[in-house]
């Protein structure tokens, strides 16, 4: 095993978050819609009798076993590195649904109940007739240090199902950077950016990164389409070069590294940089006391995920301050996607969606009427989004938000303009973006499915719509 930096230091720069998740029963692999993918593998490791809950005895037993696995020298004390070596045998791979040091390069699987709900909600109204056979590439790779949304596989399944119904398009799903080449992209008519976060086309090879970026831009500007959903706008407002450098030097296991760092930091009460079996046991008791808030002696999986942050505070990677445009890492993409992420109201925030262009075929399914939605809702940096650049379809009815909810956002937009979906031209090509889609429940909403389908067909060139900027 290669030599590492201090794991505590790595923790501060690797954006891994163990907790603050929504209940896994409603989500995908990582527990869904929160910064909490580590809650799922941790719960699975603790629930040794597989009864769907964790007891104090199970937590203490697991911590004791982890200590034994780390204390191979039988010294009665273990260092952070020794803890890591032991935990790597328990948590051998990063889990989706949380922050990932390298990006999600492996396919994710949607939960069957979510797929069933989506299939039941598929539109019965037919889509636009394709001009010819169409192919859509769903690109689901996130960049280094990007948050890996648990809903990524659900969005991919949705695109596939929408295309299959009525033979509107065929779908290929890829998590592989190697698929973004000029030669490979020639077979596709649109790329669907499936909550691609951070610097999602970049790696440590500068020449290959430059080629992928060029192929992507050339693809749309030559007349093809780009569709982005939710976290596609949480991209390229990061320090891509620094991320690439740190990712290349970071050992590859998020769960094990975060656990080792947290246990070492919290259990070491005497500051000797070592952890004893007794200190491990005391920490297990402390964590259980914080998670077992109703003092029932058992914690189910949903409550475990929701409460884990009280025991293991989430660590966030510092982002560019307010998404300032002076720190854009790829301005061409920032302009293409229409804006970039600054803040979000957390799921299940209630948002009233207003229809900015009721005459558009991309909003016909809403019949000009506002509607409510519960989801994680993004806002854009003040200087990254403007109606002078895009044709807005829907937006937040900001006036209907409570003062308390408005106050959650630091430095709100001075124009109070919070777009949710929009279209625009990029060279000879077309771009559609929809800000919601964090929670799997969005994909079981028929009008939203019609909206997404219309956006894809606009990007493909099969659905004509006014895409002139909303503000002249």
């Amino acid at each position: 095993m290669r030599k590492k930096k201090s794991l505590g230091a790595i923790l501060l720069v690797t954006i891994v978050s163990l907790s603050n998740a929504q209940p896994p029963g409603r989500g995908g692999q990582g527990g869904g819609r929160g910064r909490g993918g580590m809650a799922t593998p941790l719960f699975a490791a603790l629930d040794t009798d597989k009864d769907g809950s964790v007891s104090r005895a199970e937590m203490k037993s697991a911590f004791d076993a982890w200590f034994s696995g780390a204390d191979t020298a039988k010294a009665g004390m273990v260092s952070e590195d020794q803890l890591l070596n032991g935990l790597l045998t328990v948590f051998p791979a990063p889990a989706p649904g949380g922050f990932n040091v390298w990006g999600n390069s492996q396919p994710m699987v949607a939960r069957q109940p979510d797929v069933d709900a989506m299939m039941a909600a598929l539109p019965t109204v037919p889509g636009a007739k394709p001009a010819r056979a169409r192919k859509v590439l769903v690109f689901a790779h996130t960049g280094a240090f990007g948050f890996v949304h648990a809903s990524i596989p659900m969005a991919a399944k949705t695109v596939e199902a929408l295309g299959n119904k009525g033979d509107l398009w065929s779908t290929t799903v890829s998590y592989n950077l190697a698929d973004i080449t000029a030669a490979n992209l020639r077979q596709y008519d649109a790329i669907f950016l499936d909550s691609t976060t951070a610097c999602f086309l970049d790696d440590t090879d500068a020449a290959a990164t430059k080629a992928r970026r060029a192929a992507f831009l050339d693809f749309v500007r030559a007349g093809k389409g780009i569709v982005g959903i939710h976290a596609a706008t949480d991209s390229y407002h990061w320090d891509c070069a620094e991320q690439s450098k740190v990712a290349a030097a970071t050992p590859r296991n998020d769960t094990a590294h975060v656990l080792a760092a947290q246990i070492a930091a919290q259990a070491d009460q005497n500051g000797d940089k070592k952890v004893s079996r007794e200190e491990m046991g005391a920490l297990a008791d402390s964590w259980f006391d914080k998670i077992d808030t109703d003092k029932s002696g058992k914690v189910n999986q949903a409550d475990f995920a929701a409460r884990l942050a009280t025991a293991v505070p989430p660590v966030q990677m510092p982002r560019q301050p307010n998404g300032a445009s002076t720190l854009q890492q790829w301005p061409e993409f920032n302009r293409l996607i229409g804006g970039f992420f600054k803040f979000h109201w957390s799921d299940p925030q209630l948002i009233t969606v207003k229809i900015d262009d009721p005459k558009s075929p991309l909003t016909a399914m809403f019949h000009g009427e506002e509607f409510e939605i519960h989801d994680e809702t993004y806002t854009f940096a003040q200087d990254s989004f403007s109606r002078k650049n895009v044709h807005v379809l829907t937006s937040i009815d900001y006036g209907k938000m409570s003062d308390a909810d408005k106050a959650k956002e630091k430095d709100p937009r001075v124009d109070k303009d919070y777009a949710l979906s929009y279209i625009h031209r990029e060279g000879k090509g077309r771009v559609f973006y929809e800000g919601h889609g964090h929670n799997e429940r969005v994909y079981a909403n028929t009008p939203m499915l019609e909206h997404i389908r219309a956006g894809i067909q606009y990007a493909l060139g099969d659905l004509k719509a006014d895409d002139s900027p909303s503000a002249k």
Side-chain angles (χ1 to χ4, degrees):
M1 186 172 177
R2 59 180 169 172
K3 186 70 177 175
K4 304 173 293 298
K5 299 178 183 178
S6 160
L7 292 171
I10 288 175
L11 179 64
L12 293 177
V13 297
T14 55
I15 353 170
V16 182
S17 172
L18 265 158
S19 46
N20 194 23
Q22 296 297 321
R26 296 179 298 159
Q29 291 190 26
R33 301 119 334 258
R35 302 298 191 243
M38 299 304 155
T40 297
L42 182 57
F43 182 90
L46 297 174
D47 180 22
T48 53
D49 63 5
K50 306 305 176 189
D51 67 345
S53 64
V54 170
S55 66
R56 184 185 300 273
E58 284 177 315
M59 183 169 281
K60 288 178 70 70
S61 177
F63 274 51
D64 191 69
W66 295 346
F67 182 88
S68 296
D71 187 22
T72 55
K74 307 301 180 185
M77 304 286 283
V78 295
S79 67
E80 187 177 329
D81 279 357
Q82 287 174 309
L83 278 171
L84 173 63
N85 287 334
L87 288 169
L88 281 168
T89 65
V90 182
F91 305 100
F99 284 109
N100 189 313
V101 177
W102 318 273
N104 60 324
S105 59
Q106 299 299 318
M108 299 162 63
V109 180
R111 282 167 41 92
Q112 194 58 46
D114 296 325
V115 176
D116 293 342
M118 177 271 292
M119 295 296 291
L122 285 175
T124 56
V125 176
K129 184 178 180 180
R132 55 182 174 80
R134 301 293 193 181
K135 295 184 68 174
V136 174
L137 174 66
V138 174
F139 192 62
H141 177 74
T142 61
F145 298 105
F147 183 77
V148 182
H149 281 75
S151 58
I152 285 174
M154 191 64 246
K157 279 285 187 183
T158 299
V159 174
E160 182 180 32
L162 287 171
N164 287 345
K165 190 163 186 178
D167 293 323
L168 303 180
W169 62 81
S170 61
T171 305
T172 300
V173 181
S174 173
Y175 291 77
N176 193 344
L177 281 174
D179 285 332
I180 306 299
T181 66
N184 187 54
L185 292 181
R186 290 191 190 102
Q187 65 181 302
Y188 297 106
D189 300 286
I191 301 172
F192 184 99
L193 299 179
D194 189 355
S195 282
T196 45
T197 48
C199 307
F200 64 90
L201 290 181
D202 294 18
D203 63 9
T204 55
D205 186 330
T209 291
K210 182 178 180 180
R212 276 190 294 272
R213 290 191 186 188
F216 181 88
L217 291 177
D218 290 345
F219 174 84
V220 61
R221 290 173 177 173
K224 303 294 184 72
I226 298 293
V227 176
I229 199 159
H230 191 54
T233 51
D234 190 8
S235 303
Y236 288 102
H237 57 109
W238 314 60
D239 188 335
C240 298
E242 181 63 21
Q243 286 180 67
S244 179
K245 180 173 66 176
V246 175
T250 302
R252 297 199 166 202
N253 191 280
D254 292 311
T255 309
H257 280 88
V258 176
L259 276 175
Q262 288 282 358
I263 291 172
Q266 295 189 38
D268 179 20
Q269 296 299 307
N270 59 10
D272 64 352
K273 307 297 183 184
K274 297 282 188 177
V275 175
S276 68
R277 190 181 297 274
E278 291 72 22
E279 286 175 325
M280 283 278 283
L283 182 63
D285 275 324
S286 174
W287 281 18
F288 191 81
D289 287 339
K290 292 176 180 178
I291 295 169
D292 184 25
T293 56
D294 55 8
K295 306 307 175 188
S296 65
K298 286 201 168 188
V299 182
N300 64 35
Q301 188 170 3
D303 290 338
F304 182 88
R307 299 170 185 171
L308 187 57
T310 62
V312 189
V315 179
Q316 301 290 334
M317 175 183 177
R319 297 191 176 176
Q320 316 293 12
N322 258 352
S325 60
T326 54
L327 293 174
Q328 290 181 26
Q329 295 297 302
W330 187 14
E332 293 88 350
F333 177 81
N334 297 141
R335 287 193 296 270
L336 177 150
I337 206 63
F340 56 88
F341 172 89
K342 177 179 80 81
F343 163 83
H344 68 72
W345 285 282
S346 297
D347 178 49
Q349 174 71 46
L350 174 66
I351 294 293
T352 300
V353 179
K354 65 179 179 180
I355 313 304
D356 288 72
D357 183 1
K359 296 181 180 179
S360 174
L362 281 77
T363 62
M365 62 295 302
F366 303 128
H367 308 290
E369 299 178 359
E370 291 191 339
F371 63 95
E372 294 181 338
I373 191 169
H374 291 85
D375 198 26
E376 180 182 273
T377 303
Y378 278 7
T379 72
F380 301 133
Q382 180 72 42
D383 53 356
S384 73
F385 163 80
S386 172
R387 290 179 182 245
K388 294 179 180 179
N389 299 325
V390 300
H391 185 96
V392 177
L393 302 169
T394 63
S395 62
I396 297 173
D397 192 332
Y398 192 71
K400 291 189 176 180
M401 293 194 77
S402 69
D403 290 339
D405 284 335
K406 290 177 182 177
K408 295 174 183 176
E409 180 187 19
K410 182 181 178 181
D411 299 324
R413 291 183 63 94
V414 296
D415 57 10
K416 305 297 186 286
D417 189 2
Y418 292 90
L420 292 171
S421 65
Y422 46 78
I423 55 177
H424 75 99
R425 304 288 299 199
E426 177 68 29
K428 297 179 180 179
R430 297 155 300 280
V431 177
F432 165 75
Y433 173 76
E434 165 57 49
H436 284 130
H438 174 83
N439 191 297
E440 287 86 345
R441 75 171 77 90
V442 173
Y443 304 99
N445 180 310
T446 300
M448 284 298 292
L449 293 181
E450 289 189 53
H451 181 55
I452 293 168
R453 181 183 68 183
I456 295 173
Q457 291 208 278
Y458 161 79
L460 289 168
D462 291 328
L463 184 61
K464 306 303 179 185
D466 178 7
D467 49 22
S468 60
S470 294
K472 308 302 180 185

